[in-house]
Amino acid sequence: MRRTIGKKLLAMMLVGAGGVGGAAAAVTPASADVGTSFEVWDGQNYTGSYGRFTAGSNWPTLGQWDNRISSLKTTVKICAYTEPNYQGGQYTFWAGGAWSYIGAPLGDNNISSIKRC
Ligand SMILES: [Ca+2]
């Protein structure tokens, strides 16, 4: 009986966590950062165009967001680089952090690749 209740609770927790970020839950169901993501803006202080990255863990190029990110919030630890393919200057954005302005060593409008790290 106890065992059954425990499994039900676990299932509810996984469903709740997965609802936040979608597909990532299926990839790492046991991870603490299930259903997490990071968000970017092309203006400082979370203004301007908005983007949300959820699926996957590696972005060797950023497409329309290349050299455009000016502020960022993330629920997972990510490493960002000034050049594509994780080259150039690097900075680690820790889980749960928010940056209203991207300063050194990356610089405003300069991030070109990002990966979970
Ligand atoms: Ca760049």
Side-chain angles (χ1 to χ4, degrees):
M1 190 61 180
R2 276 177 171 274
R3 198 173 182 85
T4 304
I5 293 172
K7 282 184 178 177
K8 281 184 179 176
L9 281 174
L10 178 60
M12 288 171 65
M13 289 170 67
L14 289 174
V15 168
V20 178
V27 179
T28 53
S31 172
D33 54 23
V34 166
T36 50
S37 65
F38 64 93
E39 301 166 292
V40 298
W41 291 261
D42 71 353
Q44 296 175 20
N45 298 309
Y46 323 112
T47 61
S49 294
Y50 168 82
R52 186 160 178 256
F53 291 70
T54 53
S57 59
N58 295 291
W59 296 271
T61 58
L62 297 182
Q64 64 171 335
W65 283 100
D66 185 44
N67 293 331
R68 194 173 158 204
I69 297 172
S70 294
S71 49
L72 181 152
K73 293 181 181 178
T74 183
T75 55
V76 295
K77 181 184 175 186
I78 52 174
C79 290
Y81 302 81
T82 57
E83 302 298 329
N85 299 308
Y86 323 115
Q87 303 294 310
Q90 183 268 336
Y91 183 79
T92 302
F93 294 91
W94 60 85
W99 288 260
S100 60
Y101 172 74
I102 309 295
L106 298 177
D108 189 32
N109 297 329
N110 205 18
I111 296 174
S112 291
S113 56
I114 296 175
K115 66 179 178 180
R116 297 281 295 274
C117 61

